């Protein structure tokens, strides 16, 4: 980003608790506290809507709530879960993630972002705060490097790269697993080959293994629900 836009975005996205902090870790801990309180009080983990209301309040208090989406740059695309913007200098993609794949509480979202950054450190997510998307939904605001001069990876290339990373296919390649995490939606549009020849997994869905991720993903993905994208 450039000039005044970059300065305003940096200022508005700074967590002002005690100097700078990891917004991802702080927001994750706050959401987990809400979950634990509701689970103790009501005996349920179904608290996503309450977490979103509380996170909005928390983000406003911490100074990491964005009122003005124009700070993010030009609207770029809309997928099943992300409203995407491209920065003015074409170096950064900003995604407003609406937590679609988190089901009844937000724990899977925070675990997924951390897992993504572990496996795909060439295109990590940096969480800078929260904002409403065009539909008025509370979203996490994520930064990711824009991969210039890239092409879509082929199915065979994605398969081979997963094998190199220690993953193997399940359900006829519907997802890949290493026994710790299951990775879904690694299709051509979500995996790029950069001009440097490296693979960039820019938008996948990740669940811990043996937690029912396959059925949950199929129940929430527009590819299987018939919603379209």
């Amino acid at each position: 980003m450039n000039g005044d836009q970059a300065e305003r975005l940096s200022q508005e996205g700074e967590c002002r608790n005690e100097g700078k902090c990891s917004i991802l870790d702080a927001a994750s801990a706050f959401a987990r506290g809400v979950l634990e309180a509701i689970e103790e009080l009501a005996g349920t983990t179904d608290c996503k809507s309450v977490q979103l209301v509380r996170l909005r309040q928390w983000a406003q208090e911490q100074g990491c709530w964005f009122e003005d989406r124009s700070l993010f740059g030009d609207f770029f695309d809309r997928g099943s879960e992300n409203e995407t913007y491209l920065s003015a200098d074409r170096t950064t993609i900003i995604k407003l993630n609406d937590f679609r794949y988190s089901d009844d509480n937000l724990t899977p979202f925070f675990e997924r972002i951390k897992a993504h950054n572990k496996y795909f450190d060439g295109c990590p997510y940096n969480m800078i705060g929260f904002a409403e998307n065009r539909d008025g939904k509370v979203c996490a605001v994520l930064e990711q490097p824009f991969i210039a001069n890239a092409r879509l990876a082929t199915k065979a290339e994605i398969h081979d790269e997963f094998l190199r990373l220690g993953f193997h296919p399940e359900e006829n390649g519907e997802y890949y697993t290493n026994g710790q995490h299951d990775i879904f939606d690694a299709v051509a549009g979500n995996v790029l080959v950069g001009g440097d020849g490296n693979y960039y997994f820019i938008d996948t869905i990740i669940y811990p293994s043996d937690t029912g991720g396959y059925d949950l993903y199929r129940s929430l993905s527009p590819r299987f629900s018939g919603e379209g994208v």
Side-chain angles (χ1 to χ4, degrees):
M1 298 184 188
N2 56 13
D4 184 56
Q5 183 190 51
E7 183 178 355
R8 289 168 62 205
L9 183 57
S10 175
Q11 289 174 349
E12 195 165 344
E14 183 177 347
C15 181
R16 300 186 181 92
N17 213 356
E18 292 182 3
K20 285 197 172 182
C21 64
S22 167
I23 294 177
L24 176 63
D25 289 339
S28 176
F30 182 83
R32 184 173 61 251
V34 175
L35 168 63
E36 291 172 352
I38 291 178
E39 188 173 15
E40 181 178 356
L41 180 66
T44 179
T45 61
D46 189 355
C47 63
K48 182 176 178 179
S49 60
V50 177
Q51 286 176 309
L52 291 174
V53 171
R54 295 292 305 281
L55 274 170
R56 178 184 183 128
Q57 296 169 341
W58 176 86
Q60 290 170 335
E61 292 169 357
Q62 299 301 314
C64 52
W65 176 265
F66 293 91
E67 293 286 355
D68 184 2
R69 288 191 301 274
S70 70
L71 294 172
F72 303 142
D74 295 327
F75 177 78
F76 184 71
D77 195 10
R78 169 71 208 191
S80 64
E81 61 173 344
N82 289 311
E83 187 173 283
T84 307
Y85 296 79
L86 177 62
S87 66
D89 62 3
R90 300 180 63 83
T91 63
T92 305
I93 290 288
I94 296 178
K95 297 178 177 179
L96 274 59
N97 186 293
D98 66 8
F99 304 102
R100 179 189 184 100
Y101 292 99
S102 293
D103 197 24
D104 65 353
N105 72 76
L106 300 182
T107 298
F109 169 80
F110 293 109
E111 291 181 345
R112 167 191 167 191
I113 298 303
K114 293 174 183 178
H116 172 95
N117 289 348
K118 171 185 176 182
Y119 295 122
F120 308 126
D121 58 1
C123 52
Y125 284 118
N126 177 37
M127 186 172 177
I128 62 173
F130 294 84
E132 283 188 358
N133 65 11
R134 292 181 170 188
D135 296 328
K137 295 180 179 179
V138 174
C139 296
V141 182
L142 305 169
E143 289 183 325
Q144 195 173 38
F146 175 66
I147 310 302
N149 303 316
R151 64 171 175 82
L152 302 183
T154 67
K155 185 175 181 179
E157 288 173 331
I158 294 169
H159 174 81
D160 290 345
E161 181 64 7
F162 266 128
L163 295 183
R164 188 188 73 80
L165 293 172
F167 288 78
H168 63 268
E170 293 286 346
E171 298 292 332
N172 295 318
E174 186 62 48
Y175 69 98
Y176 286 78
T177 185
N178 64 357
Q180 182 178 3
H181 288 100
D182 301 339
I183 301 182
F184 300 83
D185 213 24
V187 295
N190 294 335
V191 185
L192 306 177
V193 182
D196 55 8
N198 292 325
Y199 291 87
Y200 296 93
F201 290 72
I202 60 171
D203 194 8
T204 62
I205 312 300
I206 305 176
Y207 293 113
S209 298
D210 301 321
T211 60
Y214 178 67
D215 290 335
L216 179 59
Y217 170 72
R218 289 178 66 92
S219 72
L220 297 174
S221 171
R223 290 176 54 203
F224 299 98
S225 67
E227 295 177 37
V229 177

